[in-house]
């Protein structure tokens, strides 16, 4: 290797001196995005009443965000590769803050829904940029384990934190603060990123794949909206079926286009490598189970047990503690010693064991005896599995592809969340209806009828949670089967050199 090329490689390998400061601001931005996925849920009833939103349209407060975020993630990831990760990250943060201010100041339904769509669009810029910045800044395996441990804990536990914060803000301030609270997060993260983060090498200067952008965006929007509509209109609804068919056709066309064009939006090499493919698939399945559970536990605690929004939020604390412990104490400590499948597979199985406990829920179930241990197991398992998954998602990816590889992680999470909410909620609703039909005849008084209704709801939740247990077991099976990467030290030792678009040789990113 010539001295010039060796010097370029050494420079690309040199760790960023500000990487740990940068992690603080990247983690803050990620927390804001993950919080926003759940914080508005608790505020929704108050916002609906204040702005006069109909029951039929209230779901769009959630759906508008999910559609924009899920549909534009691949586009956002490639923009980060082309335009620069730091610039995309800061732009996404500023835009997210502006959209949040618009939502908090909303005076009507259209203004609120528009602000949610804008939040999703700017979130689709900053989320993949954040993860790709981590991927290219932390190349030492031990440092990478710590950095992704923190990131994994936030990605996994942030949704539950959103329930706590949403409860506090709604109960003691006003629903508008679930939007305004994003502004200080975004401003601090953007200022910190601007002054601390150095734009990493390895930018992709290829022209943007416009057909790929259109096909992937419309295809993913159709898929997410199809599952969202299925929840409210049913799986047999003609428009629901049409959306799924359109999604399948558009995404198949997207894959075909990506295999032919010179500079694809999503290079197929990113998803066909078995380790990354296994991560995207197993992580998406785990999120399906987890998002459905958030929904059921929130309703169970508030409607069946009579908890306030704040008390409900605090009830999720053991899950958050478990996720943090699993990510930073178990996953981060063992990631350099064990193959990833021996963390992800058992992690998903431990989470499944927690889910299995929740299938025993009844109206009078004790929080301390049943929900507490179940949440701890779920948090520990998910935290342990998330941490190596986040790191493996960019294993061996060239720096020029790190943005789109990171976007695939977020896409699998976002699509998984939409599927989980719709699929498991539909299963629960069907089981609830069947239970009421079978038992309501024997309830002759109003108290008896109310009891049957509550028993039916819990029966619906536990039925759906059985499906979630099965989904987590399948996710564990995929992790054990597909993921064969060794420990990071072994991978780094065997790492080869990959070419960037400028033909400068830099080492592959080892997880």
């Amino acid at each position: 290797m010539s001295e010039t090329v060796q010097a370029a490689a050494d420079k690309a390998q040199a760790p960023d001196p500000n990487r740990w400061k940068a992690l603080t601001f990247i983690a803050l931005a990620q927390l804001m995005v993950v919080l926003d996925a759940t914080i508005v849920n608790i505020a929704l009833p108050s916002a609906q009443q204040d702005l006069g939103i109909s029951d039929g349209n209230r779901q769009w407060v959630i759906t508008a965000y999910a559609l924009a975020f899920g549909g534009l993630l691949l586009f956002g990831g490639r923009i980060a590769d082309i335009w620069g990760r730091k610039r995309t990250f800061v732009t996404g943060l500023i835009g997210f803050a502006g959209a949040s201010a618009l939502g908090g100041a909303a005076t009507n339904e259209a203004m609120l829904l528009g602000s949610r769509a804008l939040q999703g669009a700017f979130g689709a810029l900053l989320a993949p940029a954040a993860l790709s910045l981590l991927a290219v800044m932390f190349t030492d395996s031990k440092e990478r384990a710590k950095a992704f441990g923190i990131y994994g804990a936030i990605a996994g536990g942030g949704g539950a934190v959103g329930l706590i914060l949403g409860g506090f803000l709604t109960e003691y301030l006003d629903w508008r603060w679930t939007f305004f609270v994003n502004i200080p997060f975004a401003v601090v993260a953007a200022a910190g990123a601007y002054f601390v983060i150095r734009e990493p090498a390895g930018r992709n200067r290829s022209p943007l794949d416009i057909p790929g952008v259109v096909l992937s965006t419309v295809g993913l929007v159709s898929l997410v909206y199809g599952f969202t509509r299925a929840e409210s209109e049913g799986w047999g609804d003609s428009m629901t079926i049409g959306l799924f068919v359109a999604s399948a056709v558009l995404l198949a066309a997207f894959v075909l286009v990506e295999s032919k064009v010179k500079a694809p939006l999503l290079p197929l090499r990113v998803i066909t490598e078995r380790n990354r493919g296994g991560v995207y698939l197993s992580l998406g399945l785990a999120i399906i189970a987890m998002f459905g559970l958030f929904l059921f536990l929130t309703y169970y605690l508030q409607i069946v047990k009579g908890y306030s929004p704040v008390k409900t939020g605090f009830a999720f604390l053991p899950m958050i503690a478990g996720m943090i412990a699993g990510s930073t104490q178990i996953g981060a400590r063992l990631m350099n010693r064990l193959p990833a499948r021996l963390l992800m597979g058992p992690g998903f199985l431990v989470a499944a064991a927690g889910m299995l406990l929740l299938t025993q829920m009844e109206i009078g179930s004790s929080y301390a005896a049943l929900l507490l241990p179940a949440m701890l197991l779920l948090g520990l398992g998910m935290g342990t599995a998330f941490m190596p998954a986040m790191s493996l998602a960019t294993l061996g990816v060239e720096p020029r592809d790190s943005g789109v590889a990171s976007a695939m992680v977020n896409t699998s999470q976002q699509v998984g969340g939409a599927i989980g909410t719709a699929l498991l909620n539909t299963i629960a609703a069907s089981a609830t209806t069947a239970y009421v039909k079978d038992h309501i005849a024997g309830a002759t008084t109003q108290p008896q009828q109310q009891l049957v209704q509550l028993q039916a709801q819990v029966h619906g939740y536990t039925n759906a949670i059985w499906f979630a247990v099965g989904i987590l077991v399948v996710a564990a099976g995929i992790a054990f089967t597909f993921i064969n990467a060794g420990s990071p030290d072994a991978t780094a030792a065997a790492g080869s050199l990959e070419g960037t678009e400028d033909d400068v040789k830099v080492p592959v990113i080892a997880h």
Side-chain angles (χ1 to χ4, degrees):
M1 185 183 289
S2 69
E3 290 184 9
T4 304
V5 175
Q6 180 63 58
D10 291 342
K11 183 179 179 182
Q13 257 188 301
D16 189 321
N18 291 325
R19 60 194 178 283
W20 290 108
K21 291 179 183 176
L23 174 63
T24 304
F25 302 113
I26 292 169
L28 189 64
Q30 177 64 14
L31 178 61
M32 180 189 71
V33 171
V34 178
L35 280 176
D36 208 70
T38 55
I39 194 171
V40 175
N41 289 14
I42 287 181
L44 185 54
S46 301
Q48 180 185 356
Q49 185 177 3
D50 199 15
L51 298 180
I53 301 172
S54 69
D55 286 344
N57 286 344
R58 68 182 175 189
Q59 65 161 331
W60 281 101
V61 178
I62 308 300
T63 305
Y65 179 85
L67 290 181
F69 191 48
L72 293 171
L73 271 166
L74 284 177
F75 177 56
R78 185 49 87 192
I79 289 293
D81 287 332
I82 294 172
W83 199 28
R85 300 167 190 87
K86 174 181 174 178
R87 187 184 300 175
T88 306
F89 182 65
V90 172
T91 302
L93 282 166
I94 293 169
F96 201 95
S100 298
L102 187 68
T107 55
N108 54 51
E109 179 181 327
M111 193 170 168
L112 183 65
L113 297 183
S115 72
R116 288 292 283 163
L118 279 174
Q119 278 185 316
F122 284 109
L125 274 184
L126 73 91
L131 186 53
S132 64
L133 279 168
L134 276 191
V136 297
M137 291 174 79
F138 290 91
T139 52
D140 176 78
S141 61
K142 289 189 169 104
E143 288 192 348
R144 190 175 173 84
K146 291 177 185 175
F148 276 91
I150 294 167
Y151 188 89
I154 290 170
V161 175
L163 296 173
I164 297 174
L165 192 56
F168 259 108
L169 294 173
T170 303
E171 196 165 327
Y172 295 118
L173 291 173
D174 186 79
W175 66 266
R176 297 180 184 278
W177 282 96
T178 59
F179 286 88
F180 290 143
V181 73
N182 291 326
I183 298 172
F185 276 96
V187 169
V188 171
Y194 182 80
F195 290 109
V196 169
I197 294 177
R198 183 182 68 192
E199 179 62 46
R203 188 184 301 181
N204 186 334
R205 294 181 175 87
S206 303
L208 189 63
D209 169 23
I210 300 298
V213 170
V214 174
L215 288 169
S216 67
T217 300
V218 181
L220 286 171
V221 165
S222 297
L223 182 65
V224 173
Y225 185 35
F227 276 101
T228 304
R229 186 176 173 84
E231 184 182 357
S232 58
E233 303 299 328
W235 298 93
D237 175 67
S238 58
M239 187 172 174
T240 301
I241 295 169
L243 285 165
F244 285 132
V245 171
S247 173
V249 171
L250 288 164
L251 292 177
F254 170 68
V255 172
L256 182 64
V257 167
E258 298 309 275
S259 67
K260 304 291 185 187
V261 297
K262 184 178 179 182
L265 175 71
L266 174 62
L268 296 184
R269 61 181 175 266
V270 171
I271 56 173
T272 53
E273 198 277 322
R274 63 181 293 169
N275 288 288
R276 289 193 294 272
V279 165
Y280 301 145
L281 191 55
S282 62
L283 197 60
L285 286 170
I287 292 292
I288 287 175
M290 194 170 171
F291 264 64
L293 182 73
F294 275 165
L295 185 72
F296 300 141
L297 280 182
T298 301
Y299 278 103
Y300 175 77
L301 291 169
Q302 290 197 34
I303 295 174
V304 178
K305 304 295 281 185
Y307 284 20
S308 69
V310 171
K311 191 176 180 182
T312 299
F314 273 107
F316 280 95
L317 275 177
M319 190 187 296
I320 300 169
M323 283 179 179
I324 293 171
S327 285
T328 60
Q329 300 305 310
I330 300 174
R333 290 178 185 274
L334 296 180
M335 199 170 96
N336 290 318
R337 302 174 189 174
L338 295 175
R341 67 178 180 276
L342 296 185
L343 290 173
M344 290 181 65
F348 289 139
L349 290 177
V350 169
M355 288 275 195
L356 195 60
L357 281 177
L358 291 173
T359 61
Q360 307 306 306
M361 274 195 315
E362 296 175 352
I363 289 178
S365 293
S366 163
Y367 176 84
L370 183 69
L371 271 67
L372 177 63
M375 286 192 188
L376 282 171
L377 285 173
L378 188 67
L380 277 171
M382 287 293 199
T384 301
F386 272 17
M387 203 276 306
M390 292 292 177
S391 184
L392 260 183
T394 49
L395 173 70
V397 173
E398 298 175 35
R400 60 179 173 171
D401 291 332
S402 65
V404 76
S406 303
M408 276 302 301
V409 181
N410 289 282
T411 301
S412 65
Q413 288 180 302
Q414 191 63 29
V415 172
I419 293 171
T421 302
L423 177 64
L424 296 180
N425 200 42
T426 305
I427 292 168
S430 299
T432 298
T433 303
Y435 187 95
V436 170
K437 186 178 178 182
D438 292 342
H439 294 81
I440 198 67
T444 55
T445 65
Q446 188 175 358
Q448 287 175 334
Q449 290 172 353
Q450 289 175 342
L451 180 63
V452 167
Q453 291 287 350
L454 288 177
Q455 288 172 334
Q457 285 189 40
V458 176
H459 175 74
Y461 302 155
T462 55
N463 262 265
I465 291 170
W466 272 111
F467 279 86
V469 171
I471 290 168
L472 281 172
V473 171
V474 172
I478 290 170
F480 279 125
T481 306
F482 280 75
I483 296 168
N484 65 354
S487 67
D489 289 338
T491 306
S496 60
L497 296 178
E498 299 285 347
T500 69
E501 71 278 13
D502 296 319
D503 293 326
V504 175
K505 301 288 186 180
V506 297
V508 295
I509 299 169
H511 82 106

